[in-house]
Amino acid sequence: MAKTDGARSGVSGHEARNASPRNRDTGLKQERAVRTRGQVLDAAAEAFATKGFPAVTVLDVAELAGVTKGAVYFHFANKEALARAVAEEFYHLLGVIGREVEEAGLSPLAAVAQLLERTALAFRDDTMVQAGARLQIERSLIGVEMPMPYLGYTESLTRWLRQAQDQSQLPPGASPESTSRVLVSAFFGAQHISWVLNDRADIAERVREILVALVPGVGVEEGQG
């Protein structure tokens, strides 16, 4: 019976790999492509966050990434495609923060506070998040369909506020739905003002003010987590 792989024939894993250079070369090329795409996406985020969509060129992104324009176009058809990819990564990162808070097993109101505070730190420290927020402001200038903003974020807050209501942690008559919408509006407005006035250096303090003002039972201590 013919042997079909290294394990059955007694050939070592090293020898088996050496027997298929074409597959090995393909794997290396795929790794390089993934790495290059990541470099390009990070460079696009830096460019969009710093200069805004209208002022950025594909050449700007290529130079920041340390690649050719052709390498950028290999992964992204145009500047609009770059903008959409950055915005998608922005919302992916917000979703990651939400899942991490969910997994922490906090009380509902503490989870609300953690989500807002951790998102604030991401706005302060993460270029991809900063770029995504700026691109959403500039979405009418981009000329391609962008992800719908804030939906998943609002749903997470609403879910936790409903749990808080079930546990009698909200005032009588309070609406989890309207409270979550107000929180999202206040948060994203505060981060924008903090960006314009202080390059987001004070965003954590602004978010704690929102929590104390709008979420009964959430004090500064709970929000700091």
Side-chain angles (χ1 to χ4, degrees), residues 75-110:
H75 293 283
F76 301 97
N78 46 41
K79 187 173 73 166
E80 287 76 12
L82 275 167
R84 180 176 176 85
V86 169
E88 289 173 343
E89 183 64 13
F90 164 57
Y91 283 109
H92 169 73
L93 292 173
L94 292 187
V96 169
I97 294 172
R99 287 192 294 274
E100 290 175 348
V101 173
E102 184 79 50
E103 292 167 0
L106 302 171
S107 68
L109 293 183

Side-chain angles (χ1 to χ4, degrees), residues 23-165:
N23 290 342
R24 188 172 66 254
D25 289 346
T26 299
L28 290 173
K29 288 178 181 178
Q30 290 173 341
E31 289 177 11
R32 285 197 296 269
V34 170
R35 186 165 57 248
T36 299
R37 187 184 188 279
Q39 290 175 232
V40 170
L41 197 62
D42 287 342
E46 181 179 349
F48 290 139
T50 303
K51 299 172 66 175
F53 178 82
V56 171
T57 66
V58 171
L59 180 59
D60 292 333
V61 174
E63 290 178 344
L64 282 170
V67 301
T68 65
K69 286 177 64 176
V72 176
Y73 283 122
F74 178 81
H75 293 283
F76 301 97
N78 46 41
K79 187 173 73 166
E80 287 76 12
L82 275 167
R84 180 176 176 85
V86 169
E88 289 173 343
E89 183 64 13
F90 164 57
Y91 283 109
H92 169 73
L93 292 173
L94 292 187
V96 169
I97 294 172
R99 287 192 294 274
E100 290 175 348
V101 173
E102 184 79 50
E103 292 167 0
L106 302 171
S107 68
L109 293 183
V112 168
Q114 277 285 298
L115 181 65
L116 294 182
E117 294 233 356
R118 292 187 62 175
T119 307
L121 296 181
F123 270 94
R124 188 190 68 189
D125 300 333
D126 192 309
T127 302
M128 189 68 67
V129 173
Q130 295 164 1
R134 183 163 187 168
L135 288 171
Q136 289 296 2
I137 294 170
E138 299 171 341
R139 60 188 292 128
S140 64
L141 306 175
I142 296 174
V144 68
E145 185 177 357
M146 298 287 281
M148 289 299 292
Y150 317 129
L151 295 181
Y153 202 86
T154 305
E155 289 170 0
S156 294
L157 289 173
T158 300
R159 184 174 67 255
W160 286 320
L161 289 170
R162 284 174 180 157
Q163 293 172 6
Q165 186 178 55

